[in-house]
Amino acid sequence: MTVTGTDFDLRRVAGRIGAEVVGVDLRENLDDDTIASIRAALLEYKALFFRGQKLDDTGQQRFAARFGELTTAHPTVPSLDGSPNVLRVDSAEGRANNWHTDVTFVVSPPSASTLRSIVVPPYGGDTLIANSAAAYRDLPGELRELADRIWAEHTNDYDYAIPPADSEKTKAFREIFVSRKYRTAHPVVRVHPETGERGLFIGGFAQRIVDLSTTESRDILRLLQAYVTRPENTVRWRWAPGDLAFFDNRITQHYAVDDYGDLPRLLHRVTVAGGVPVGADGRRSYTIEGDDASHYTPLAA
Ligand SMILES: [Fe+2]
């Protein structure tokens, strides 16, 4: 699949995932053809990067909304004041140095995430994004067959984004993060609703395999996750202020590298609502504990 007939250039950033989109000003009112080309590029490259944009919160929300209805900021974390769709990703409150896919603990996780850099440290703080379809293809046949059959429980109630022990602010953030508890069963292999591609749909919120013990679950998840995080399956983005990253949350995981000490880092996140995942056998994800998160996503099951 190649994106053609557009006014922008696509430059691969890494071999298996990620392209920089050059020649688009996201403040402009982009026509439908351009949006369709960006969507096609997202499906192919899975993560797109727009350097040096001059977007504000309104502009970020407007751009994301071209790809579908938006979620609110988060199922449990309050939005930025006055911008119900914007989540502050602030290093002072927590560090997502844990491979994950956004909000997979609800039954309808977002289809895509946009991250806009506002304050970036002079060094470090990169974001890694992994191609979970490439990981699936890398699995030996026997493991692929196992993965196709098993399901995982995802929850927000675990030690994600561990706060530094002495930080009251991060402790308070963690309390808010788990103020409502969610547990959802998703297929370990998700069929992408637009491309039909299969990808490993696990990541940090996946805490156990349905019907297996904690120990067995850990070992299997660690084994599968090792394929997702192979360097060959990742791209690494070095932020500059004003960048926008746009990634397909249905077939990627990401990780915020925590290597910048106490330096400030602030990004704003806006996510596009997504549907209920479907596994290789056609079964849909289901809720085990918690509400349907309809306060969060317009596509609640
Ligand atoms: Fe994230």
Side-chain angles (χ1 to χ4, degrees):
M1 188 168 57
T2 307
V3 176
T4 54
T6 63
D7 292 335
F8 60 77
D9 287 329
L10 286 165
R11 296 180 193 160
R12 276 183 189 280
V13 183
R16 295 187 182 173
I17 176 171
E20 185 180 344
V21 182
V22 181
V24 180
D25 182 343
L26 297 179
R27 287 173 305 179
E28 284 174 14
N29 198 4
L30 302 173
D31 61 32
D32 290 345
D33 284 350
T34 303
I35 293 295
S37 299
I38 293 172
R39 181 188 288 274
L42 181 70
L43 293 177
E44 181 172 359
Y45 295 100
K46 300 179 173 59
L48 300 177
F49 305 99
F50 302 80
R51 275 268 186 230
Q53 299 292 323
K54 295 183 179 68
L55 283 178
D56 55 14
D57 290 316
T58 306
Q60 184 179 0
Q61 290 169 93
R62 195 180 52 224
F63 173 69
R66 298 295 299 276
F67 299 90
E69 285 187 88
L70 301 182
T71 68
T72 59
H74 192 271
T76 57
V77 181
S79 72
L80 180 74
D81 280 347
S83 299
N85 309 108
V86 178
L87 180 75
R88 281 167 55 88
V89 177
D90 185 342
S91 58
E93 293 176 338
R95 313 275 173 117
N97 57 330
N98 185 332
W99 282 100
H100 67 282
T101 302
D102 287 335
V103 198
T104 60
F105 47 86
V106 302
V107 73
S108 312
S111 62
S113 299
T114 64
L115 275 178
R116 175 169 61 98
S117 52
I118 296 166
V119 178
V120 297
Y123 56 84
D126 297 356
T127 293
L128 306 177
I129 307 177
N131 179 342
S132 64
Y136 177 78
R137 288 193 292 271
D138 280 351
L139 291 174
E142 302 294 331
L143 283 181
R144 217 181 294 149
E145 281 176 29
L146 170 69
D148 278 340
R149 287 200 306 271
I150 57 180
W151 283 57
E153 283 184 24
H154 295 233
T155 182
N156 59 330
D157 186 18
Y158 85 105
D159 49 1
Y160 165 77
I162 302 171
D166 57 346
S167 165
E168 286 306 316
K169 198 172 177 188
T170 48
K171 246 183 258 169
F173 181 80
R174 153 112 189 125
E175 271 163 35
I176 293 167
F177 195 82
V178 296
S179 57
R180 291 187 199 212
K181 291 184 178 147
Y182 291 96
R183 234 158 25 103
T184 298
H186 292 299
V188 162
V189 173
R190 179 179 187 177
V191 179
H192 193 288
E194 292 188 69
T195 64
E197 219 178 350
R198 291 182 183 194
L200 291 175
F201 195 65
I202 44 178
F205 298 115
Q207 288 290 296
R208 72 181 298 146
I209 300 293
V210 173
D211 293 335
L212 294 186
S213 71
T214 308
T215 311
E216 290 164 336
S217 296
R218 284 228 178 87
D219 288 345
I220 290 176
L221 287 167
R222 190 185 300 122
L223 175 64
L224 296 176
Q225 186 65 13
Y227 285 85
V228 177
T229 60
R230 280 184 165 178
E232 289 81 0
N233 291 335
T234 70
V235 62
R236 182 171 186 135
W237 189 248
R238 168 90 278 265
W239 294 98
D243 291 352
L244 186 96
F246 181 32
F247 45 89
D248 188 336
N249 211 34
R250 299 164 295 191
I251 204 141
T252 60
Q253 288 184 27
H254 55 282
Y255 182 112
V257 181
D258 181 12
D259 60 349
Y260 50 97
D262 294 331
L263 294 166
R265 180 179 185 270
L266 175 67
L267 299 97
H268 281 184
R269 183 176 97 186
V270 173
T271 52
V272 182
V276 178
V278 175
D281 62 1
R283 286 164 60 215
R284 288 155 51 93
S285 302
Y286 57 92
T287 300
I288 301 169
E289 182 185 347
D291 55 42
D292 64 358
S294 54
H295 65 292
Y296 165 66
T297 172
L299 298 182

